[in-house]
Amino acid sequence: MDVNDRTLESVKVMIAKTLGIEDRAATLNALTPLFGSMPELDSFAVIELVTTLEEQFGFEIDGNEITGEIFETVGSLTEFVLKKKASQ
């Protein structure tokens, strides 16, 4: 399993835990739509998820980095995490 796959798996777990959808975690993949498609992912959940990502991966996310595109799919969120990790 490469870094991208491990990161995708970590992001999926964090999404499932943050949103309380552990029962559906196995159905998540890189193409799974997030914001606007997943009712559990409201603005409060976005903040909680951002905080979880920061703590888990050890980087800070600036408020102006949080865009709809990042939270479009599980894959787009994973790509964002990979970029943040690479820029550390």
Side-chain angles (χ1 to χ4, degrees), residues 20-84:
I21 58 167
E22 288 93 338
D23 58 324
R24 298 194 330 243
T27 67
L28 299 177
N29 63 53
L31 300 177
T32 303
L34 293 175
F35 203 71
S37 299
M38 203 173 274
E40 297 87 355
L41 188 62
D42 59 14
S43 55
F44 293 112
V46 167
I47 293 166
E48 191 175 341
L49 186 54
V50 164
T51 302
T52 301
L53 292 169
E54 288 176 327
E55 290 170 358
Q56 179 73 30
F57 292 109
F59 54 65
E60 278 192 35
I61 300 172
D62 196 285
N64 64 6
E65 291 180 287
I66 301 170
T67 65
E69 291 82 35
I70 291 171
F71 289 94
E72 192 173 323
T73 65
V74 174
S76 62
L77 185 56
T78 302
E79 286 295 318
F80 175 74
V81 168
L82 288 166
K83 287 178 188 167
K84 289 295 287 186

